[in-house]
Amino acid sequence: MVSILPALLCLELSLGQKTHVQAGTLPRPTIGAEPGSVIPMRSSVTIWCQGTLEAQEYHLYNEETDIPLGRQKPLVPGDKVKFFMEDVYPGRFCCKYFSPTGWSELSDPLELVVTGFHGKPSLSALPSPVVTSGGNVTLQCGSGEELDRFTLIKEGERRLSWTLDSQPHTSGQSQVLFPVGPMTSSHRGTFRCYGYFRKYPLEWSHPSDPLDLLVSGASNAINPSQNKSDPRTSSPQDHTMENLIRLGLAGLMLMGFEALLFQALNSDGRTQDETET
C-alpha cells in the first residue's frame, strides 16, 4: 500500500529543509501510531516519532505540505515524542529530528487509514468456516457498492492483511475471493474485511462482521505427562468409583476387626472355664 509519492515527498522535504552532515547522514527516525494505523472515523490517534539520543526536536509532516504539522521536544533523551490528533483524518505522514550535527533523514512514510467511509461489507467462508487440517477454504468479501479493492485482515498480535482487486458481479455488486490453505493451526483466528476505491486507498469502509475460522483435526501433540489424570480435572464418575472403593475397604477392615474381637472374646471364655475346672 505504500506508494512512491510519499517517499519522494519526504525525500524532497529532506533535501530542501535539512542541514546535510558531510561526514555522514544521521539515521532516520522510526514512526508509528497508537492504537494503530487503521482507525475508525471521528476517533483520536497519537503519532509517535523516535530517533537517537542526540535528538533535540522533532517535526511531523503530511505528504500534502512541507509545513510541519507539529513540533515536539523529548522530555528525556531518546524518548519518543507524541503528536496527538483528536479527529483523525487519512494521510501519509513522516517525521525527522534536529540534533547538534544537523537534521536527520526523514522517516519512512506512515499510512494512516480511516474506516467508515462506506457501508459494511459481508464476509463468509466457502464452503464452511470449519476446515479440516490440510484442506482449503475461500473467504468471500462483498459489498453492495461497486468498490475497487478489498482488504482482508487477520486480527492478532501480528496482524496480517491481504488486498485484492474486486471482481465484476452480474448484480452490480463487488466482491473478491481470498483462497486460504492448505490449512494449519496457524490459520485459525478472527478475520474482517474492508472495501475502498482505488482512487482513495486510505478511506476504507466500515469493517465486516468478524468471522472465526476454525481448523479441525490440527495436530495438537500431548506430552506424556499430560496423559496422567489430574485429580483436579477428573470426572464425577471417577469420584464415585473412588468413594465406592473406599467404602468397600472400610467394610472389609470393619469385618476383620469384628472377627478379631470375636476370636479374642472366645479365647478369654475358654481360659476362664479351664481355670474354674
Side-chain angles (χ1 to χ4, degrees):
M1 294 175 53
V2 177
S3 66
I4 298 177
L5 179 59
L8 292 177
L9 177 65
C10 290
L11 178 61
E12 180 182 356
L13 289 171
S14 179
L15 293 176
Q17 297 182 21
K18 74 177 182 179
T19 301
H20 293 277
V21 181
Q22 299 298 330
T25 304
L26 290 172
R28 65 178 67 215
T30 55
I31 190 171
E34 298 173 355
S37 58
V38 180
I39 304 294
M41 186 183 296
R42 291 185 291 276
S43 298
S44 60
V45 68
T46 298
I47 299 177
W48 58 263
C49 188
Q50 185 174 28
T52 64
L53 293 173
E54 292 76 22
Q56 297 177 343
E57 183 173 290
Y58 291 84
H59 289 188
L60 178 69
Y61 296 92
N62 184 285
E63 71 168 12
E64 297 179 353
T65 176
D66 59 356
I67 300 175
L69 297 176
R71 298 177 174 87
Q72 290 281 357
K73 293 183 178 182
L75 297 178
V76 178
D79 271 4
K80 296 178 180 178
V81 296
K82 298 183 177 181
F83 301 90
F84 180 72
M85 189 181 297
E86 185 173 3
D87 191 5
V88 65
Y89 64 91
R92 294 181 176 88
F93 302 86
C94 53
C95 67
K96 66 179 181 179
Y97 61 89
F98 181 78
S99 74
T101 55
W103 286 101
S104 72
E105 293 276 349
L106 278 147
S107 67
D108 292 328
L110 167 70
E111 289 189 329
L112 202 58
V113 174
V114 177
T115 66
F117 284 90
H118 313 289
K120 176 173 64 176
S122 61
L123 180 61
S124 59
L126 304 174
S128 169
V130 181
V131 190
T132 304
S133 178
N136 295 281
V137 67
T138 298
L139 301 186
Q140 177 180 284
C141 183
S143 172
E145 302 179 56
E146 296 183 1
L147 302 174
D148 297 327
R149 310 194 83 186
F150 289 89
T151 293
L152 178 71
I153 288 182
K154 180 185 178 184
E155 299 179 348
E157 295 181 0
R158 304 182 71 175
R159 177 174 289 183
L160 302 175
S161 64
W162 301 266
T163 300
L164 291 175
D165 292 334
S166 63
Q167 303 168 354
H169 200 274
T170 54
S171 63
Q173 299 179 346
S174 55
Q175 69 173 25
V176 295
L177 300 175
F178 295 94
V180 183
M183 300 297 294
T184 66
S185 58
S186 63
H187 291 98
R188 182 170 44 213
T190 301
F191 294 80
R192 295 178 186 267
C193 71
Y194 302 81
Y196 60 90
F197 290 105
R198 188 179 292 104
K199 187 178 180 179
Y200 305 102
L202 304 180
E203 299 178 2
W204 289 9
S205 68
H206 286 283
S208 68
D209 290 333
L211 173 67
D212 293 326
L213 196 61
L214 304 176
V215 182
S216 64
S219 175
N220 293 313
I222 300 178
N223 295 327
S225 60
Q226 294 177 325
N227 290 326
K228 299 179 181 179
S229 61
D230 188 339
R232 295 173 296 179
T233 59
S234 56
S235 63
Q237 291 85 350
D238 295 336
H239 290 300
T240 301
M241 183 61 68
E242 291 174 1
N243 291 334
L244 289 174
I245 293 173
R246 291 192 183 98
L247 288 174
L249 292 174
L252 291 174
M253 293 175 64
L254 180 60
M255 291 174 62
F257 178 75
E258 289 177 347
L260 292 173
L261 180 62
F262 180 76
Q263 183 180 1
L265 291 174
N266 288 339
S267 176
D268 292 342
R270 287 195 301 270
T271 303
Q272 184 178 0
D273 290 341
E274 293 174 355
T275 303
E276 292 175 353
T277 301

